[in-house]
């Protein structure tokens, strides 16, 4: 069994309903961490909730380059990132290995704007991940990981636990995760979804992050990844009995590096 598990709820701030479900899941002890979307309608309300003792220090930034309107201007001019109405419309293949300097600069500016929006609302994110896993596109991942190093926070790895990962995918994710670790420092050892918890053997040791999207299931909790009516709570209890649920603040924070060095 893993030593500890982070059950992280993505999409905090997406809507007031999403906020309410995530708060209840925290209160029930089902999740132990969350990440907030800085450009969504219920973001300010999520930041207020994040000040509660149960959530404080357990909320990171869910970097968003795929949904809604950006918080910075330069990325609006890039057709691979935004449409003509000013909405995110990311159009990059997942195997993309390179971005032009203008694109890299615009992604960094948007990341900085989302981070600053958190700070302006009284929230210093505890870690970084991304909506629809866009930071697992290699050049975006490097930008996010370098930024994480500058801020002294961990970054989520690409999913590396599950029964349906092909050999080429495993090789790519191994190389990407090695790069993310080298740039950002401390992070979890394994990342998976609730479906992987159900279908794959748990790791024998280390820190496991489970990427969750909790839903209400009567008085219980389901998950967007699971079958309709399947209990996330029971799945976690049955498959990971006795494993402490923690947040990324259990990790020693990597030392922030010089900003100039981080962007080389």
């Amino acid at each position: 069994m893993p030593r500890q598990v982070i059950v992280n709820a993505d999409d905090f701030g997406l809507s007031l309903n999403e906020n309410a479900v995530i708060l209840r899941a925290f209160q029930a002890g089902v999740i132990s961490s969350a990440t907030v979307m800085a450009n969504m309608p219920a973001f300010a309300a999520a930041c207020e909730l994040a000040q509660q003792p149960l959530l404080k220090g357990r909320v990171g930034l869910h970097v968003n380059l795929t949904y809604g309107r950006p918080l910075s201007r330069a990325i609006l001019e890039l057709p691979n990132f935004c449409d003509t109405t000013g909405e995110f419309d990311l159009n990059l293949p997942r195997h993309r290995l390179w971005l032009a300097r203008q694109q890299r600069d615009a992604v960094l500016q948007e990341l900085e704007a989302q981070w600053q929006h958190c700070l302006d609302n009284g929230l210093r994110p505890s870690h970084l991940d991304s909506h629809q896993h866009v930071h697992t596109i290699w050049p975006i991942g490097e930008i996010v990981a370098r930024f994480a190093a500058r801020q002294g926070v961990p970054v989520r790895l690409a999913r590396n636990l599950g029964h349906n990962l092909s050999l080429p995918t495993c090789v790519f994710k191994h190389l990407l995760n090695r790069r993310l670790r080298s740039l950002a420092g401390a992070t979890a050892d394994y990342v998976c979804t609730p479906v992987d918890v159900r279908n794959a053997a748990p790791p024998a040791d280390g820190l496991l992050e489970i990427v969750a999207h909790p839903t209400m299931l009567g008085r219980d909790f389901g998950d967007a990844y699971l079958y309709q009516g399947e209990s996330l709570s029971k799945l976690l209890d049955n498959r990971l009995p006795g494993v402490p649920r923690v947040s990324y603040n259990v990790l020693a924070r990597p030392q922030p590096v010089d900003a100039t060095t981080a962007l080389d």
Side-chain angles (χ1 to χ4, degrees), residues 229-248:
E230 186 177 5
S231 170
L232 174 64
S233 308
K234 292 177 182 176
L235 175 67
L236 296 176
D237 289 343
N238 291 338
R239 296 291 287 166
L240 299 167
V243 178
R245 295 178 197 174
V246 299
S247 63
Y248 269 106

Side-chain angles (χ1 to χ4, degrees), residues 38 87 97 139 195 202 250:
E87 298 275 334
L97 297 177
V195 174
V250 301

Side-chain angles (χ1 to χ4, degrees), residues 195-208:
V195 174
D196 300 320
V197 175
R198 185 220 293 140
N199 295 337
D205 199 3
L207 175 62
L208 168 66

